[in-house]
Amino acid sequence: MKLVKHITIALVLCAIPAMAFGQSVTCDDCTHVVSVYQGHGGFIAMAAEDAEMVTWVATCEGVTRSGELTPSDGMVSMLLMDDTACYGDDEDNSFEVGPIMDGGWYWITDATNSAVGGLINKEILDNETTMLADAGDGVTMTMGKGAVLLKETATGRVGLLPNILPAMEMDPVDPTPCGVAGGPGTSAANAWTRRVSGCMMGNGGSTVLATYTNSITGATTRVMSGDTVTRPGGTGTLSILIDLWGNNSGHFLTSADSSGANGADFLRGQQGAAASAAGRIAHRYQGVTYSVSAGSGVGGGQEITSGTPLEGIDHAAPATDGANALAVSIVANDDNCDDDNNFPTPVTVNVSVADAAQRAQVTPGIAVNSAGVAGQLKFTVVCPAASANMGQELVPENPFPTE
Protein backbone atom coordinates (compact mmCIF):
# COMPACT_ATOMS: atom_id res chain seq x y z
CA MET A 1 0.00 0.00 0.00
CA LYS A 2 3.02 2.33 0.28
CA LEU A 3 3.21 2.47 -3.51
CA VAL A 4 -0.43 3.54 -3.78
CA LYS A 5 0.12 6.19 -1.10
CA HIS A 6 3.14 7.51 -2.97
CA ILE A 7 1.25 7.64 -6.26
CA THR A 8 -1.69 9.39 -4.60
CA ILE A 9 0.62 12.09 -3.25
CA ALA A 10 2.23 12.48 -6.65
CA LEU A 11 -1.19 12.87 -8.24
CA VAL A 12 -2.30 15.50 -5.78
CA LEU A 13 0.89 17.52 -5.96
CA CYS A 14 1.91 17.14 -9.60
CA ALA A 15 -1.10 16.70 -11.87
CA ILE A 16 -2.74 19.73 -13.47
CA PRO A 17 -5.83 18.33 -15.22
CA ALA A 18 -7.83 19.97 -17.99
CA MET A 19 -10.87 18.78 -19.95
CA ALA A 20 -11.89 19.17 -23.57
CA PHE A 21 -15.32 18.25 -24.94
CA GLY A 22 -15.92 17.59 -28.61
CA GLN A 23 -12.44 18.54 -29.78
CA SER A 24 -9.24 16.75 -30.68
CA VAL A 25 -6.27 17.04 -28.32
CA THR A 26 -2.84 15.91 -29.44
CA CYS A 27 0.29 15.32 -27.42
CA ASP A 28 3.50 15.91 -29.34
CA ASP A 29 5.62 15.05 -26.30
CA CYS A 30 3.82 11.78 -25.52
CA THR A 31 6.09 8.83 -26.25
CA HIS A 32 4.18 5.89 -24.72
CA VAL A 33 0.64 4.59 -24.49
CA VAL A 34 -1.44 2.44 -22.17
CA SER A 35 -2.25 -0.58 -24.29
CA VAL A 36 -5.80 -1.04 -22.92
CA TYR A 37 -7.31 2.02 -21.24
CA GLN A 38 -10.20 0.49 -19.33
CA GLY A 39 -11.23 0.52 -15.66
CA HIS A 40 -9.18 2.27 -13.00
CA GLY A 41 -5.53 1.79 -12.04
CA GLY A 42 -2.30 3.76 -12.36
CA PHE A 43 1.15 3.89 -13.88
CA ILE A 44 4.76 4.60 -12.94
CA ALA A 45 7.66 5.46 -15.24
CA MET A 46 11.02 7.19 -15.45
CA ALA A 47 10.92 10.57 -17.13
CA ALA A 48 13.06 11.10 -20.20
CA GLU A 49 16.44 12.66 -19.57
CA ASP A 50 16.25 16.43 -18.98
CA ALA A 51 12.43 16.37 -19.06
CA GLU A 52 11.18 19.05 -16.66
CA MET A 53 7.54 18.06 -17.12
CA VAL A 54 5.73 14.94 -18.33
CA THR A 55 2.42 15.37 -20.15
CA TRP A 56 -0.51 12.97 -20.21
CA VAL A 57 -3.59 12.98 -22.41
CA ALA A 58 -6.56 10.67 -21.72
CA THR A 59 -9.58 10.22 -24.00
CA CYS A 60 -12.56 8.21 -22.73
CA GLU A 61 -15.92 7.99 -24.50
CA GLY A 62 -15.26 11.18 -26.45
CA VAL A 63 -14.10 13.25 -23.46
CA THR A 64 -10.42 14.25 -23.38
CA ARG A 65 -8.52 15.25 -20.28
CA SER A 66 -4.88 16.27 -20.03
CA GLY A 67 -2.37 17.33 -17.44
CA GLU A 68 1.28 17.56 -16.47
CA LEU A 69 3.43 15.69 -13.94
CA THR A 70 6.60 16.98 -12.31
CA PRO A 71 9.30 14.28 -12.03
CA SER A 72 10.54 13.45 -8.55
CA ASP A 73 14.00 11.86 -8.53
CA GLY A 74 13.41 11.27 -12.22
CA MET A 75 10.19 9.29 -11.67
CA VAL A 76 6.57 10.11 -12.42
CA SER A 77 3.46 8.26 -11.28
CA MET A 78 -0.27 8.74 -11.37
CA LEU A 79 -3.45 7.04 -10.26
CA LEU A 80 -6.15 6.54 -12.86
CA MET A 81 -9.09 7.12 -10.57
CA ASP A 82 -12.32 9.11 -10.58
CA ASP A 83 -12.20 11.48 -13.60
CA THR A 84 -9.15 9.75 -15.13
CA ALA A 85 -10.58 6.23 -14.91
CA CYS A 86 -12.32 4.90 -18.02
CA TYR A 87 -15.26 2.51 -17.86
CA GLY A 88 -16.31 2.60 -21.52
CA ASP A 89 -15.39 0.19 -24.30
CA ASP A 90 -15.02 2.66 -27.18
CA GLU A 91 -12.11 1.52 -29.35
CA ASP A 92 -10.96 5.16 -29.59
CA ASN A 93 -10.34 5.34 -25.83
CA SER A 94 -6.66 6.09 -25.24
CA PHE A 95 -4.12 7.21 -22.66
CA GLU A 96 -0.79 8.70 -23.74
CA VAL A 97 2.10 9.98 -21.65
CA GLY A 98 5.56 11.36 -22.21
CA PRO A 99 8.32 12.03 -22.64
CA ILE A 100 9.27 8.96 -20.60
CA MET A 101 11.78 6.14 -20.96
CA ASP A 102 11.03 2.54 -21.83
CA GLY A 103 10.38 0.30 -18.83
CA GLY A 104 7.37 2.09 -17.41
CA TRP A 105 4.40 -0.04 -16.44
CA TYR A 106 0.78 0.31 -15.45
CA TRP A 107 -2.11 -1.65 -13.99
CA ILE A 108 -5.82 -1.66 -14.51
CA THR A 109 -8.44 -3.05 -12.15
CA ASP A 110 -11.60 -4.71 -13.37
CA ALA A 111 -14.55 -5.52 -11.10
CA THR A 112 -12.57 -7.87 -8.85
CA ASN A 113 -9.05 -8.37 -10.26
CA SER A 114 -6.13 -6.34 -11.58
CA ALA A 115 -3.79 -6.82 -14.53
CA VAL A 116 -0.31 -5.39 -15.02
CA GLY A 117 1.33 -4.49 -18.33
CA GLY A 118 4.12 -2.39 -19.78
CA LEU A 119 3.67 1.07 -21.23
CA ILE A 120 4.08 0.71 -25.01
CA ASN A 121 6.51 2.87 -26.94
CA LYS A 122 4.58 4.58 -29.75
CA GLU A 123 7.45 3.94 -32.17
CA ILE A 124 6.70 0.20 -32.24
CA LEU A 125 2.94 0.43 -32.64
CA ASP A 126 3.31 -0.19 -36.38
CA ASN A 127 5.27 -3.39 -35.80
CA GLU A 128 3.69 -6.66 -36.84
CA THR A 129 1.32 -8.17 -34.30
CA THR A 130 0.70 -11.84 -33.66
CA MET A 131 -2.63 -13.63 -33.26
CA LEU A 132 -3.07 -14.98 -29.75
CA ALA A 133 -4.33 -18.51 -29.17
CA ASP A 134 -8.11 -18.53 -28.75
CA ALA A 135 -9.22 -20.18 -25.51
CA GLY A 136 -12.88 -20.25 -26.57
CA ASP A 137 -15.94 -18.73 -24.98
CA GLY A 138 -14.49 -19.00 -21.48
CA VAL A 139 -12.02 -16.17 -22.10
CA THR A 140 -12.88 -12.79 -23.64
CA MET A 141 -10.18 -10.92 -25.54
CA THR A 142 -10.11 -7.13 -25.86
CA MET A 143 -7.64 -5.91 -28.47
CA GLY A 144 -5.49 -2.98 -27.40
CA LYS A 145 -2.40 -1.15 -28.61
CA GLY A 146 0.42 -3.69 -28.44
CA ALA A 147 -1.37 -5.94 -25.95
CA VAL A 148 -4.61 -7.86 -25.45
CA LEU A 149 -6.74 -7.78 -22.30
CA LEU A 150 -7.78 -11.32 -21.38
CA LYS A 151 -10.60 -12.01 -18.95
CA GLU A 152 -11.77 -15.38 -17.69
CA THR A 153 -15.53 -15.02 -17.47
CA ALA A 154 -16.03 -17.66 -14.74
CA THR A 155 -13.59 -16.17 -12.20
CA GLY A 156 -13.13 -12.57 -13.34
CA ARG A 157 -9.37 -13.02 -13.56
CA VAL A 158 -7.74 -10.56 -15.99
CA GLY A 159 -4.36 -10.28 -17.65
CA LEU A 160 -2.55 -8.16 -20.21
CA LEU A 161 -0.69 -10.20 -22.82
CA PRO A 162 1.63 -8.42 -25.29
CA ASN A 163 0.95 -9.29 -28.92
CA ILE A 164 3.30 -6.93 -30.72
CA LEU A 165 6.39 -8.51 -32.19
CA PRO A 166 9.86 -6.99 -31.87
CA ALA A 167 11.42 -5.57 -35.02
CA MET A 168 13.81 -8.32 -36.05
CA GLU A 169 17.30 -7.18 -37.00
CA MET A 170 18.73 -9.50 -39.61
CA ASP A 171 22.34 -10.53 -39.30
CA PRO A 172 24.39 -8.67 -41.90
CA VAL A 173 24.94 -10.68 -45.05
CA ASP A 174 28.50 -11.32 -46.12
CA PRO A 175 28.77 -9.00 -49.14
CA THR A 176 31.17 -11.39 -50.85
CA PRO A 177 29.85 -12.49 -54.25
CA CYS A 178 29.28 -16.20 -54.64
CA GLY A 179 32.26 -16.67 -56.93
CA VAL A 180 35.31 -15.77 -54.87
CA ALA A 181 39.07 -16.01 -54.90
CA GLY A 182 40.66 -18.82 -52.96
CA GLY A 183 40.37 -21.98 -55.04
CA PRO A 184 42.74 -24.95 -55.02
CA GLY A 185 45.07 -23.68 -57.76
CA THR A 186 46.73 -20.61 -59.17
CA SER A 187 45.48 -20.56 -62.75
CA ALA A 188 42.62 -18.31 -63.79
CA ALA A 189 40.44 -21.39 -64.13
CA ASN A 190 40.74 -22.83 -60.66
CA ALA A 191 41.84 -19.92 -58.49
CA TRP A 192 38.17 -19.10 -57.91
CA THR A 193 35.67 -21.11 -55.91
CA ARG A 194 31.93 -21.31 -56.36
CA ARG A 195 30.21 -20.59 -53.03
CA VAL A 196 26.60 -21.51 -52.38
CA SER A 197 26.33 -20.22 -48.80
CA GLY A 198 27.83 -17.49 -46.66
CA CYS A 199 27.78 -15.09 -49.57
CA MET A 200 25.51 -12.54 -51.16
CA MET A 201 23.17 -13.91 -53.82
CA GLY A 202 22.16 -11.25 -56.30
CA ASN A 203 19.00 -10.48 -58.23
CA GLY A 204 20.28 -11.44 -61.66
CA GLY A 205 20.80 -7.80 -62.61
CA SER A 206 23.39 -6.84 -65.19
CA THR A 207 25.74 -3.95 -65.82
CA VAL A 208 26.55 -2.62 -69.28
CA LEU A 209 30.28 -1.91 -69.24
CA ALA A 210 31.34 0.75 -71.78
CA THR A 211 34.87 2.16 -72.02
CA TYR A 212 37.12 4.04 -74.43
CA THR A 213 40.82 4.87 -74.49
CA ASN A 214 41.93 8.49 -74.33
CA SER A 215 43.95 9.11 -77.51
CA ILE A 216 46.33 11.48 -75.73
CA THR A 217 46.84 10.03 -72.25
CA GLY A 218 46.05 6.38 -72.99
CA ALA A 219 43.83 6.25 -69.90
CA THR A 220 40.67 4.14 -69.94
CA THR A 221 37.47 6.11 -69.39
CA ARG A 222 34.17 4.49 -68.46
CA VAL A 223 30.94 5.75 -70.02
CA MET A 224 27.99 5.58 -67.63
CA SER A 225 24.34 5.92 -68.58
CA GLY A 226 23.56 9.64 -68.85
CA ASP A 227 27.16 10.63 -69.64
CA THR A 228 28.31 12.70 -72.60
CA VAL A 229 31.21 11.90 -74.93
CA THR A 230 32.85 14.40 -77.26
CA ARG A 231 32.78 13.75 -80.98
CA PRO A 232 36.31 13.76 -82.45
CA GLY A 233 37.35 16.36 -84.98
CA GLY A 234 39.13 15.89 -88.28
CA THR A 235 39.66 12.27 -89.29
CA GLY A 236 39.78 10.82 -85.77
CA THR A 237 37.55 7.98 -84.51
CA LEU A 238 36.29 7.46 -80.98
CA SER A 239 35.65 3.76 -80.34
CA ILE A 240 33.61 2.67 -77.31
CA LEU A 241 33.89 -0.99 -76.26
CA ILE A 242 30.66 -2.38 -74.76
CA ASP A 243 29.89 -5.72 -73.12
CA LEU A 244 27.65 -7.20 -70.39
CA TRP A 245 28.58 -8.19 -66.83
CA GLY A 246 26.92 -8.99 -63.52
CA ASN A 247 25.97 -6.10 -61.26
CA ASN A 248 28.26 -7.28 -58.42
CA SER A 249 25.30 -8.28 -56.26
CA GLY A 250 26.50 -11.91 -56.24
CA HIS A 251 26.32 -14.90 -58.57
CA PHE A 252 28.22 -18.05 -59.47
CA LEU A 253 28.70 -20.07 -62.64
CA THR A 254 25.84 -22.53 -63.05
CA SER A 255 28.02 -25.19 -64.67
CA ALA A 256 30.44 -27.00 -62.40
CA ASP A 257 33.04 -26.91 -65.20
CA SER A 258 36.03 -24.87 -64.06
CA SER A 259 38.37 -25.84 -66.86
CA GLY A 260 38.57 -22.29 -68.13
CA ALA A 261 37.70 -23.36 -71.68
CA ASN A 262 35.80 -20.60 -73.49
CA GLY A 263 35.73 -18.58 -70.31
CA ALA A 264 33.81 -21.27 -68.42
CA ASP A 265 35.11 -20.58 -64.94
CA PHE A 266 33.89 -18.81 -61.88
CA LEU A 267 35.12 -15.43 -63.15
CA ARG A 268 32.30 -15.39 -65.71
CA GLY A 269 30.44 -12.08 -65.37
CA GLN A 270 32.47 -10.93 -62.36
CA GLN A 271 33.39 -7.31 -63.10
CA GLY A 272 36.78 -7.67 -61.46
CA ALA A 273 37.81 -9.98 -64.29
CA ALA A 274 37.47 -7.10 -66.76
CA ALA A 275 40.50 -5.29 -65.34
CA SER A 276 42.72 -6.65 -68.09
CA ALA A 277 42.05 -6.88 -71.83
CA ALA A 278 42.44 -10.67 -71.79
CA GLY A 279 40.18 -11.04 -68.75
CA ARG A 280 37.52 -8.88 -70.34
CA ILE A 281 37.51 -11.01 -73.48
CA ALA A 282 37.42 -14.31 -71.60
CA HIS A 283 34.88 -13.62 -68.90
CA ARG A 284 32.14 -11.34 -70.25
CA TYR A 285 28.64 -12.82 -70.43
CA GLN A 286 27.97 -14.95 -73.49
CA GLY A 287 25.00 -15.21 -75.87
CA VAL A 288 24.74 -11.41 -75.92
CA THR A 289 23.40 -9.31 -78.81
CA TYR A 290 23.23 -5.56 -79.28
CA SER A 291 21.09 -2.93 -81.00
CA VAL A 292 22.04 0.72 -81.39
CA SER A 293 19.77 3.72 -82.03
CA ALA A 294 20.72 7.34 -82.55
CA GLY A 295 18.73 10.56 -82.39
CA SER A 296 15.79 11.58 -80.25
CA GLY A 297 12.91 10.37 -82.39
CA VAL A 298 10.02 8.18 -81.30
CA GLY A 299 11.26 5.02 -79.57
CA GLY A 300 14.65 6.49 -78.77
CA GLY A 301 15.79 7.40 -82.27
CA GLN A 302 16.55 5.53 -85.47
CA GLU A 303 18.14 2.11 -85.31
CA ILE A 304 21.59 1.96 -86.88
CA THR A 305 22.42 -0.98 -89.12
CA SER A 306 26.02 -2.06 -88.73
CA GLY A 307 28.03 -0.68 -91.65
CA THR A 308 25.52 2.08 -92.37
CA PRO A 309 26.51 5.08 -90.23
CA LEU A 310 23.90 7.52 -88.95
CA GLU A 311 25.05 11.01 -87.94
CA GLY A 312 28.63 9.77 -87.90
CA ILE A 313 27.83 6.86 -85.56
CA ASP A 314 28.31 3.18 -86.47
CA HIS A 315 28.84 -0.11 -84.67
CA ALA A 316 30.43 -3.51 -85.30
CA ALA A 317 32.03 -6.41 -83.48
CA PRO A 318 35.40 -5.42 -81.93
CA ALA A 319 38.45 -6.18 -84.05
CA THR A 320 39.93 -8.40 -81.32
CA ASP A 321 37.82 -11.38 -80.22
CA GLY A 322 34.54 -9.58 -80.82
CA ALA A 323 32.19 -12.35 -79.67
CA ASN A 324 29.54 -11.08 -77.25
CA ALA A 325 30.87 -7.51 -77.40
CA LEU A 326 30.25 -4.35 -79.43
CA ALA A 327 32.35 -1.45 -80.62
CA VAL A 328 30.46 1.81 -81.22
CA SER A 329 32.48 4.14 -83.46
CA ILE A 330 31.99 7.90 -83.60
CA VAL A 331 33.51 10.19 -86.21
CA ALA A 332 33.23 13.87 -87.21
CA ASN A 333 29.94 14.88 -88.81
CA ASP A 334 29.43 18.28 -90.41
CA ASP A 335 25.66 17.99 -90.34
CA ASN A 336 25.85 18.05 -86.55
CA CYS A 337 29.02 19.96 -85.83
CA ASP A 338 30.43 22.74 -88.00
CA ASP A 339 30.60 26.52 -87.94
CA ASP A 340 26.82 26.74 -88.26
CA ASN A 341 25.63 23.63 -86.38
CA ASN A 342 25.96 22.34 -82.86
CA PHE A 343 23.60 19.40 -82.50
CA PRO A 344 24.15 16.75 -79.78
CA THR A 345 23.16 13.19 -80.68
CA PRO A 346 21.51 10.87 -78.11
CA VAL A 347 22.60 7.23 -78.44
CA THR A 348 20.81 4.20 -76.96
CA VAL A 349 22.38 0.75 -76.75
CA ASN A 350 20.12 -2.17 -75.79
CA VAL A 351 21.89 -5.34 -74.68
CA SER A 352 19.89 -8.57 -74.94
CA VAL A 353 20.26 -12.19 -73.90
CA ALA A 354 17.40 -13.83 -75.77
CA ASP A 355 18.24 -17.50 -75.28
CA ALA A 356 17.05 -19.03 -72.00
CA ALA A 357 20.02 -21.40 -71.86
CA GLN A 358 22.39 -18.44 -72.09
CA ARG A 359 20.49 -16.58 -69.37
CA ALA A 360 21.04 -19.61 -67.14
CA GLN A 361 24.83 -19.61 -67.59
CA VAL A 362 25.07 -18.11 -64.09
CA THR A 363 23.06 -18.46 -60.90
CA PRO A 364 20.95 -16.41 -60.29
CA GLY A 365 20.13 -16.34 -63.99
CA ILE A 366 20.56 -13.18 -66.04
CA ALA A 367 17.39 -11.13 -65.60
CA VAL A 368 15.77 -9.67 -68.74
CA ASN A 369 12.59 -7.76 -69.52
CA SER A 370 9.79 -9.02 -71.74
CA ALA A 371 11.81 -8.12 -74.84
CA GLY A 372 14.86 -10.03 -73.66
CA VAL A 373 16.79 -6.85 -72.80
CA ALA A 374 19.21 -7.35 -69.92
CA GLY A 375 20.70 -3.88 -69.86
CA GLN A 376 20.61 -0.49 -71.53
CA LEU A 377 23.15 2.30 -71.94
CA LYS A 378 22.22 5.86 -72.93
CA PHE A 379 24.78 8.54 -73.64
CA THR A 380 24.96 11.73 -75.68
CA VAL A 381 27.54 12.59 -78.34
CA VAL A 382 28.37 16.32 -78.19
CA CYS A 383 30.34 18.51 -80.54
CA PRO A 384 33.98 19.40 -79.90
CA ALA A 385 34.73 22.74 -78.30
CA ALA A 386 35.45 24.50 -81.60
CA SER A 387 31.86 23.86 -82.72
CA ALA A 388 30.25 24.23 -79.32
CA ASN A 389 31.62 27.76 -78.94
CA MET A 390 31.16 29.27 -82.37
CA GLY A 391 32.49 32.82 -82.89
CA GLN A 392 30.44 35.96 -83.47
CA GLU A 393 30.31 37.92 -86.67
CA LEU A 394 32.39 41.10 -86.58
CA VAL A 395 31.07 44.43 -87.86
CA PRO A 396 33.34 45.69 -90.70
CA GLU A 397 36.11 47.98 -89.47
CA ASN A 398 35.12 47.18 -85.84
CA PRO A 399 37.51 44.78 -84.07
CA PHE A 400 35.08 44.07 -81.23
CA PRO A 401 32.18 41.58 -81.35
CA THR A 402 28.67 42.95 -81.13
CA GLU A 403 25.36 41.44 -80.12
Side-chain angles (χ1 to χ4, degrees), residues 14 25 44 49 55 92 94 108 135 155 188 193 229 231 238 244-245 276 295 297 301 341 349-350 356 372 384:
C14 306
V25 177
I44 183 169
E49 187 175 357
T55 303
D92 292 329
S94 66
I108 57 175
T155 64
T193 299
V229 297
R231 187 186 295 273
L238 175 65
L244 189 68
W245 298 81
S276 66
N341 298 316
V349 180
N350 285 319

Side-chain angles (χ1 to χ4, degrees), residues 6 14 45-48 51 70-76:
H6 167 72
C14 306
M46 179 174 288
T70 302
S72 175
D73 295 329
M75 303 296 293
V76 291

Side-chain angles (χ1 to χ4, degrees), residues 317-336:
T320 305
D321 199 342
N324 305 298
L326 185 74
V328 173
S329 58
I330 304 169
V331 298
N333 184 263
D334 289 342
D335 291 336
N336 291 72

Side-chain angles (χ1 to χ4, degrees), residues 32-391:
H32 290 68
V33 299
V34 168
S35 55
V36 179
Y37 180 39
Q38 183 174 306
H40 60 273
F43 73 86
I44 183 169
M46 179 174 288
E49 187 175 357
D50 297 330
E52 295 182 0
M53 299 293 290
V54 171
T55 303
W56 59 267
V57 174
T59 299
C60 179
E61 303 300 294
V63 178
T64 298
R65 296 176 172 85
S66 63
E68 291 181 329
L69 303 171
T70 302
S72 175
D73 295 329
M75 303 296 293
V76 291
S77 56
M78 176 178 173
L79 288 177
L80 305 182
M81 302 288 287
D82 300 325
D83 289 342
T84 55
C86 184
Y87 296 101
D89 55 5
D90 190 329
E91 63 181 13
D92 292 329
N93 293 344
S94 66
F95 189 99
E96 302 181 28
V97 60
I100 61 173
M101 300 178 66
D102 289 333
W105 53 275
Y106 76 102
W107 73 96
I108 57 175
T109 301
D110 196 46
T112 56
N113 292 283
S114 295
V116 178
L119 293 170
I120 306 298
N121 192 313
K122 293 171 67 174
E123 291 185 356
I124 68 169
L125 288 179
D126 291 332
N127 284 11
E128 183 181 356
T129 57
T130 187
M131 181 66 69
L132 299 183
D134 190 350
D137 295 338
V139 177
T140 61
M141 303 171 66
T142 302
M143 301 300 296
K145 300 177 179 66
V148 178
L149 177 64
L150 306 175
K151 181 176 181 179
E152 187 180 33
T153 54
T155 64
R157 295 189 181 96
V158 290
L160 283 164
L161 187 60
N163 70 331
I164 199 164
L165 299 178
M168 300 299 293
E169 294 186 4
M170 303 299 293
D171 292 334
V173 177
D174 183 353
T176 305
C178 296
V180 296
T186 57
S187 69
N190 60 17
W192 281 57
T193 299
R194 179 174 66 174
R195 299 178 65 186
V196 296
S197 64
C199 60
M200 179 186 293
M201 290 296 290
N203 58 5
S206 300
T207 293
V208 179
L209 180 61
T211 60
Y212 65 88
T213 302
N214 188 294
S215 60
I216 298 176
T217 65
T220 298
T221 300
R222 181 168 181 179
V223 181
M224 305 294 290
S225 226
D227 282 355
T228 60
V229 297
T230 302
R231 187 186 295 273
T235 59
T237 298
L238 175 65
S239 181
I240 301 176
L241 177 63
I242 300 174
D243 46 12
L244 189 68
W245 298 81
N247 63 358
N248 278 344
S249 64
H251 71 265
F252 57 82
L253 191 70
T254 300
S255 169
D257 179 16
S258 60
S259 65
N262 198 25
D265 63 70
F266 301 128
L267 289 158
R268 171 85 58 82
Q270 308 284 359
Q271 289 187 43
S276 66
R280 187 165 180 177
I281 291 170
H283 305 298
R284 60 174 63 111
Y285 279 152
Q286 299 181 4
V288 181
T289 58
Y290 301 85
S291 64
V292 182
S293 300
S296 55
V298 177
Q302 181 178 340
E303 186 169 350
I304 302 174
T305 301
S306 179
T308 306
L310 177 65
E311 299 187 20
I313 299 169
D314 200 357
H315 63 90
T320 305
D321 199 342
N324 305 298
L326 185 74
V328 173
S329 58
I330 304 169
V331 298
N333 184 263
D334 289 342
D335 291 336
N336 291 72
C337 304
D338 63 12
D339 290 342
D340 299 315
N341 298 316
N342 178 20
F343 300 133
T345 303
V347 176
T348 300
V349 180
N350 285 319
V351 187
S352 301
V353 185
D355 184 63
Q358 293 290 353
R359 294 198 296 270
Q361 62 189 277
V362 291
T363 301
I366 301 171
V368 299
N369 65 14
S370 59
V373 175
Q376 185 181 77
L377 175 71
K378 289 188 173 186
F379 60 93
T380 302
V381 180
V382 298
C383 297
S387 298
N389 298 284
M390 294 179 287

